[in-house]
Amino acid sequence: MTEADMAAKRRHPAIIFLGVMAVLAVIGAGVSLWFFYNQDALMRTMFVPEHAIAGEPLGPAPDYADNSAWAARPGMASRASMLPEGLYTTMQIPLADVFYIHPTTFLENTRWNADFDSEEARPFLERLGLQHQASAFSTAGRVFAPRYRQAGIGAFFDESGQGAQAIVRAHGDVLAAFDHYMENDNAGRPFIIAGHSQGSLHGLLLLAERIVARGLQDRLIAAYLIGWPVSMEGDIGALPGLSPCEKADQTGCIISYQSFAQGGDAGSIVKAFEMLPGLNGQPHAGTTMLCTNPLNWQIDGAAPAGLNAGALMLAEPDTPSNALEAGLTGASCGGDGILYINPPPKDGWTDYLMPQGNYHVYDINLFYKNIMDNAVDRTRAWFDGRPDVLPGAVPGAAGDMPQ
């Protein structure tokens, strides 16, 4: 079966919502209003597995000594090295690493946790995760991207507590992958932690359980925890030695934002954020959601579209990456901690648009080149601040690449 065939079979939430909304438009305004106020209930019906997690055997654990347990790592051919059309480089900062944790790519309701080598999850992992996300960090260092027994999409809409169990199961693999990387590949190198959505949740927990717990803060270039709500007080405040990133060349800091169209309704995200427990063990309610503007790398800032160095629209399955689109959209952080984009892009940028103007799938794509350049800038700044650490080891910036 080709990737296109598998993609057609996948019940991606955005595609399903578009279809449902079209039907509701025909049925009438009354049902449409019901749908508007009951989206979470519908998502639970569609995506939460019907069976109990206790009766679901967990698939074999990945063996991180084997390349099959990695979606990308040095010496492996992967889509993490695919760059946008017209962007060419052989440059990579050879003495830094990127530990990238992919988002949810298992979009079925048949399992709470996917097998790490799930064929259903693989196409979207390769296309979205590697080709359009991990590649943005590939010029900042060697990319290590573990496969793991991810929690399926239904885990994030479950209210029974079983979804949380699925996430804990998945997190055990991420910890094992990071431990293997540190013991066998890191050799004292500085590193970036990058993730999206579920991957950013695992990355946030990783900061507490490995980076802070083992005193590795000084080796952390930055943590790009995109597409997952992070509390300034409840999460970052519980991570001694780490702070939110407030400028473009700061290191040892944390970046987070979630993208919505200007005028969109992020109420469900804000509500979920308030209910989530922080790393300090207390609910997020009453705390501040971190919003890093990726166009100027300031907290709670606003920036015009002219600062957007290049967005990357999702390519069709099994095709090379598209060319970058400079100036696509501006962005500003709202008082609710959400990053609002203006003007909201249309055409191909709405294929995976979520309800209420949620551009979640495109969180990294919308600001791809800004993220690429910034990852290199922060890595260079890490070495510049430590002239005694292998001086002269950092080549030119990603911004020097011909286009």
Coordinates of all heavy atoms in Angstrom, one line a residue, residues 17 28 57 68-69 81 96 105 117 156 181 188 203 223 270 278 280 287 296 309 344 356 374 395 399 402:
F17 N -13.1 16.6 10.8 CA -13.9 17.8 11.2 C -14.4 18.5 9.9 O -15.6 19.0 9.9 CB -13.1 18.8 12.0 CG -13.2 18.5 13.5 CD1 -12.1 18.0 14.2 CD2 -14.4 18.7 14.1 CE1 -12.2 17.7 15.5 CE2 -14.5 18.5 15.5 CZ -13.4 18.0 16.2
G28 N -28.4 21.5 9.2 CA -29.1 22.7 9.7 C -28.4 23.4 10.9 O -27.5 22.8 11.5
P57 N -2.3 -5.3 25.5 CA -0.9 -5.5 25.8 C 0.0 -4.5 25.1 O -0.3 -4.1 23.9 CB -0.7 -6.9 25.1 CG -1.8 -7.0 24.1 CD -3.0 -6.3 24.7
S68 N 16.5 0.5 14.0 CA 15.1 0.4 13.7 C 14.2 1.2 14.8 O 13.1 1.5 14.5 CB 14.6 -1.1 13.7 OG 14.8 -1.7 15.0
A69 N 14.9 1.4 15.9 CA 14.2 2.2 17.0 C 14.3 3.7 16.8 O 13.7 4.4 17.6 CB 14.7 1.8 18.3
S81 N 16.8 15.2 7.0 CA 17.8 16.0 6.3 C 17.2 16.7 5.0 O 17.9 17.4 4.3 CB 19.0 15.1 5.9 OG 18.5 14.1 5.0
A96 N 27.3 19.8 18.1 CA 26.0 19.9 18.8 C 25.0 18.9 18.3 O 25.2 18.4 17.2 CB 25.5 21.3 18.7
T105 N 1.2 10.8 15.8 CA 1.0 10.5 14.4 C 0.2 9.2 14.3 O 0.0 8.7 13.2 CB 2.4 10.3 13.7 OG1 3.1 9.2 14.3 CG2 3.2 11.6 13.7
D117 N 6.9 0.9 15.8 CA 7.2 0.8 14.4 C 5.8 0.7 13.6 O 5.8 0.1 12.5 CB 8.1 -0.4 14.1 CG 7.5 -1.7 14.6 OD1 6.5 -1.7 15.3 OD2 8.1 -2.8 14.3
F156 N -5.7 12.0 24.3 CA -5.7 13.4 24.7 C -7.2 13.9 24.8 O -7.4 15.1 25.1 CB -4.9 14.2 23.7 CG -3.5 13.8 23.8 CD1 -2.9 12.8 23.0 CD2 -2.6 14.4 24.6 CE1 -1.6 12.4 23.1 CE2 -1.3 14.1 24.7 CZ -0.8 13.1 24.0
Y181 N 20.9 7.7 24.3 CA 21.7 8.8 23.6 C 22.8 9.3 24.5 O 23.9 9.5 24.0 CB 20.7 9.8 23.1 CG 21.3 11.2 23.0 CD1 22.2 11.5 21.9 CD2 21.1 12.2 23.9 CE1 22.8 12.7 21.7 CE2 21.7 13.5 23.7 CZ 22.5 13.7 22.6 OH 23.1 14.9 22.5
G188 N 29.4 14.4 26.0 CA 29.6 15.7 26.5 C 29.2 16.9 25.6 O 29.5 18.0 25.9
G203 N 9.0 16.3 26.1 CA 10.2 17.1 26.3 C 10.2 17.9 27.6 O 11.2 18.1 28.3
A223 N 15.3 24.5 24.7 CA 14.2 23.5 24.5 C 13.1 24.2 23.8 O 12.5 25.1 24.2 CB 13.7 23.0 25.9
V270 N -7.1 27.0 26.4 CA -6.9 27.7 27.7 C -7.5 27.0 28.9 O -6.9 26.9 29.9 CB -7.5 29.2 27.6 CG1 -7.4 29.9 28.9 CG2 -6.7 30.0 26.5
G278 N 1.0 21.3 36.9 CA 2.3 21.8 36.5 C 3.4 20.8 37.1 O 3.1 19.9 37.8
N280 N 5.2 21.6 39.2 CA 5.2 21.8 40.7 C 4.2 21.1 41.4 O 4.0 21.2 42.6 CB 5.1 23.3 41.0 CG 3.8 23.9 40.5 OD1 3.0 23.2 39.9 ND2 3.6 25.2 40.7
T287 N -2.0 30.7 36.6 CA -0.6 31.0 36.1 C -0.6 31.5 34.7 O -1.6 31.5 34.0 CB 0.3 29.7 36.3 OG1 -0.2 28.7 35.3 CG2 0.2 29.1 37.6
N296 N 10.2 37.3 16.5 CA 11.2 38.2 17.1 C 11.8 37.6 18.4 O 12.7 38.2 19.0 CB 10.6 39.6 17.4 CG 9.4 39.5 18.4 OD1 9.2 38.5 19.0 ND2 8.7 40.6 18.4
A309 N 10.7 34.9 7.9 CA 11.8 34.6 6.9 C 11.4 33.5 6.0 O 12.0 33.3 4.9 CB 13.1 34.2 7.7
P344 N -4.3 35.1 8.6 CA -4.3 33.7 8.6 C -4.1 33.2 7.2 O -4.8 33.6 6.3 CB -5.6 33.3 9.2 CG -6.2 34.5 9.9 CD -5.6 35.7 9.1
Q356 N -12.1 26.3 15.1 CA -11.9 27.5 15.8 C -10.6 28.2 15.4 O -10.0 29.0 16.2 CB -12.0 27.4 17.3 CG -13.2 26.6 17.8 CD -14.5 27.2 17.2 OE1 -14.7 28.4 17.2 NE2 -15.4 26.4 16.7
N374 N 17.2 30.4 14.1 CA 17.4 30.6 15.5 C 18.1 29.5 16.2 O 18.9 29.7 17.1 CB 16.0 30.9 16.1 CG 16.1 31.2 17.6 OD1 15.8 30.4 18.5 ND2 16.6 32.4 17.9
P395 N 30.9 26.3 12.4 CA 31.0 26.9 11.1 C 30.0 28.0 10.9 O 29.4 28.4 11.9 CB 30.6 25.7 10.1 CG 29.7 24.9 11.0 CD 30.2 25.0 12.4
G399 N 22.0 31.2 8.1 CA 21.6 32.3 7.3 C 22.6 32.5 6.2 O 22.3 33.3 5.3
P402 N 23.0 29.6 0.6 CA 22.4 30.1 -0.6 C 21.0 29.7 -0.8 O 20.6 28.6 -0.3 CB 23.4 29.6 -1.7 CG 23.9 28.3 -1.1 CD 24.1 28.6 0.3

